[in-house]
Amino acid sequence: MKKRALIKTMMTTLSCVLLSTSITTACSDDDTPAKRTPTPTTNDAVMIKDQAKRDMIYSLVDLEGDKGRIYEMYYTVDYKLDDAINFGINGQAKLQQFVGAYLMDTKGKSVNLSYDAGCSAFAAPDKSSGDFFMGRNFDFNHWDEDSNRIDIPVIVVHTAPKGGKKSVSFVDGNFVGYKKGFYTAKGNDLSMLMAAPYLLLDGINEDGFAISVLKLDGKPTKQEGGTNKTIFTTVAMRMLLDRVSTVKEATNMLKQYNMCMDTDTASYHFFMADATGDYAIVEYTGADPDNVNPSNMEVLRDNDTLRCVTNFYVSPSMLETKFGGNSKHGKNRYDSLRIYLKEYNYKVTFAEGLGLLQKVAQGPNDDKSSTGFTQWSEMYNLTKRRLTMNLTREWNKTFEFGVE
């Protein structure tokens, strides 16, 4: 796929696997900036002049020492969420404009970013501990112009906004053109790290509310009219992590905005869960998503058939449509989740939940499409505000993160 075509597509193909259930796990508390040793780099951030921003950019840590696969970042400056909400961001181009105008210090330079994904999700309470999980696979293939797979860096982004809630979220660095090892590989401009809060694919906040976004085929969501402000997919996710504690609060907040999801070939739905055990799928639906932009917000919950989701509409209103009940995108993964959740009576142990993610994880030869490779897998403990992460189906190597 040509680079320009890939960038156009990357805002469109989010598909994910999520699970919400309960679990107890032993986690380290060694999770603060003071206990991390920054990874040295000679790369510049050419569009950043403010010293606080530069200090933040140069505080990144390669969590494997020198592999360049996963970096941890504490975003310590203002990412201007209120301005983002008021900017009327209705897609990728407007998000680029916002980042350039509000988060960069040097004006007039081009700012390039894109967004995409493929995944699966499910929710269920633990058999024994009383905690609750959310589990997720983030699936996406990046290809270069010669059809070679690009190895990505994961960026773990901690935020603690003034007056808002602390959270940790996860970014595919290639959405701003960063490849594995970008931080130390010579010739990379680190300026686009300033966009990290608005590139999240999933995350959890200090109250145990977690959210993820998954790709749908068809026309993108476009809500218009009235007095509601317009927000984009990732701006909505950032807003919810910063400002809500529960699924109910999140769905009520979303109703106050016009949602716009970029590109002509895809839309998204959200899977969310919280520390009370509540969970929901939020979809924007319409009778003809092949030709008409979906605009009707639906909240789907309180049903065990809604405990899992992949890459097609699950709303009953979409059952007979091309991208609902008749869709094959993610259907095998969805069926596997349904079968095993029912077998477990919708209650899982940590091992069983991780096992579900393993069953629906996609390897390098499983699916050559853009959404066919599992970049990371996560088991969120919503009760303890912590999670475990495994990269590229490496089930024996686990990273742990939390919100203190």
Side-chain angles (χ1 to χ4, degrees):
M1 181 182 293
K2 296 296 183 181
K3 182 175 182 182
R4 181 175 297 176
L6 176 61
I7 289 177
K8 181 179 179 181
T9 309
M10 279 176 58
M11 276 298 225
T12 67
T13 55
L14 266 151
S15 47
C16 315
V17 175
L18 287 148
L19 74 90
S20 161
T21 177
S22 41
I23 174 177
T24 49
T25 142
C27 298
S28 168
D29 290 327
D30 185 11
D31 199 43
T32 61
K35 299 178 181 179
R36 302 290 194 187
T37 301
T39 298
T41 180
T42 59
N43 286 326
D44 195 5
V46 298
M47 289 184 277
I48 307 303
K49 306 303 179 185
D50 179 82
Q51 192 58 48
K53 294 178 183 178
R54 294 182 68 85
D55 289 345
M56 178 184 74
I57 287 171
Y58 292 115
S59 70
L60 263 67
V61 178
D62 184 332
L63 296 182
E64 295 180 293
D66 60 358
K67 292 187 177 181
R69 298 195 308 166
I70 180 167
Y71 298 91
E72 190 166 29
M73 177 185 194
Y74 285 81
Y75 203 102
T76 52
V77 301
D78 185 5
Y79 44 85
K80 302 183 184 301
L81 177 58
D82 285 330
D83 291 319
I85 293 171
N86 292 327
F87 200 71
I89 298 173
N90 60 1
Q92 174 184 346
K94 202 71 180 288
L95 180 58
Q96 291 176 353
Q97 293 173 21
F98 170 78
V99 170
Y102 284 83
L103 302 183
M104 300 298 180
D105 299 328
T106 300
K107 311 304 180 186
K109 291 183 177 292
S110 62
V111 175
N112 295 313
L113 58 83
S114 54
Y115 192 71
D116 214 335
C119 329
S120 316
F122 69 90
D126 185 19
K127 290 180 177 178
S128 57
S129 71
D131 291 352
F132 293 95
F133 290 147
M134 186 178 84
R136 160 181 170 82
N137 287 340
F138 166 60
D139 304 332
F140 191 75
N141 267 325
H142 291 289
W143 304 101
D144 64 18
E145 294 182 356
D146 297 320
S147 298
N148 297 310
R149 179 178 288 107
I150 297 172
D151 292 328
I152 72 160
V154 181
I155 305 174
V156 182
V157 183
H158 295 266
T159 53
K162 185 177 181 180
K165 300 180 187 299
K166 297 178 183 178
S167 69
V168 59
S169 57
F170 301 89
V171 170
D172 175 344
N174 202 56
F175 293 154
V176 285
Y178 293 147
K179 298 178 176 62
K180 184 178 78 170
F182 79 96
Y183 195 64
T184 54
K186 291 183 179 180
N188 285 309
D189 178 7
L190 303 181
S191 301
M192 285 307 296
L193 286 169
M194 295 301 302
Y198 298 107
L199 295 174
L200 69 164
L201 293 155
D202 55 78
I204 182 174
N205 71 16
E206 64 183 62
D207 292 333
F209 169 80
I211 187 169
S212 180
V213 61
L214 304 86
K215 186 240 180 181
L216 294 166
D217 296 320
K219 287 283 188 179
T221 294
K222 186 175 292 185
Q223 293 182 311
E224 299 175 311
T227 59
N228 288 348
K229 295 177 180 178
T230 296
I231 57 173
F232 176 61
T233 317
T234 60
V235 177
M237 295 173 69
R238 171 51 52 200
M239 176 182 70
L240 295 179
L241 284 179
D242 283 13
R243 297 181 176 179
V244 307
S245 300
T246 65
V247 168
K248 184 176 181 179
E249 290 178 3
T251 55
N252 286 339
M253 184 172 287
L254 286 177
K255 293 174 184 177
Q256 301 172 32
Y257 294 88
N258 285 337
M259 181 68 68
C260 286
M261 298 177 172
D262 202 6
T263 78
D264 292 330
T265 59
S267 194
Y268 308 95
H269 51 186
F270 298 112
F271 186 93
M272 55 186 71
D274 65 38
T276 73
D278 196 9
Y279 60 91
I281 301 165
V282 174
E283 293 186 342
Y284 296 85
T285 61
D288 185 15
D290 199 8
N291 298 300
V292 179
N293 295 95
S295 61
N296 179 42
M297 178 180 164
E298 294 190 41
V299 180
L300 306 160
R301 65 201 309 170
D302 300 328
N303 186 323
D304 283 333
T305 63
L306 302 174
R307 285 190 177 273
C308 61
V309 66
T310 55
N311 306 125
F312 57 90
Y313 289 94
V314 297
S315 166
S317 69
M318 305 295 285
L319 187 61
E320 301 301 323
T321 67
K322 179 179 179 181
F323 305 120
N326 296 322
S327 174
K328 301 299 181 183
H329 192 178
K331 189 66 163 56
N332 290 338
R333 285 179 282 126
Y334 177 82
D335 288 344
S336 292
L337 292 174
R338 291 284 300 122
I339 289 169
Y340 286 102
L341 281 170
K342 185 175 181 179
E343 181 179 307
Y344 295 143
N345 197 27
Y346 307 103
K347 297 180 181 180
V348 301
T349 64
F350 174 81
E352 289 168 344
L354 184 60
L356 283 176
L357 295 181
Q358 293 176 12
K359 291 178 189 298
V360 296
Q362 301 181 81
N365 299 314
D366 290 339
D367 185 349
K368 296 298 184 180
S369 72
S370 62
T371 60
F373 182 69
T374 300
Q375 300 286 0
W376 67 73
S377 303
E378 297 158 311
M379 285 287 289
Y380 284 86
N381 186 326
L382 306 177
T383 304
K384 292 184 170 58
R385 287 67 161 163
R386 303 196 70 86
L387 69 127
T388 63
M389 170 184 276
N390 301 86
L391 301 181
T392 60
R393 304 188 306 161
E394 295 177 4
W395 308 114
N396 294 324
K397 183 170 185 176
T398 299
F399 300 89
E400 300 185 24
F401 306 99
V403 185
E404 305 301 334

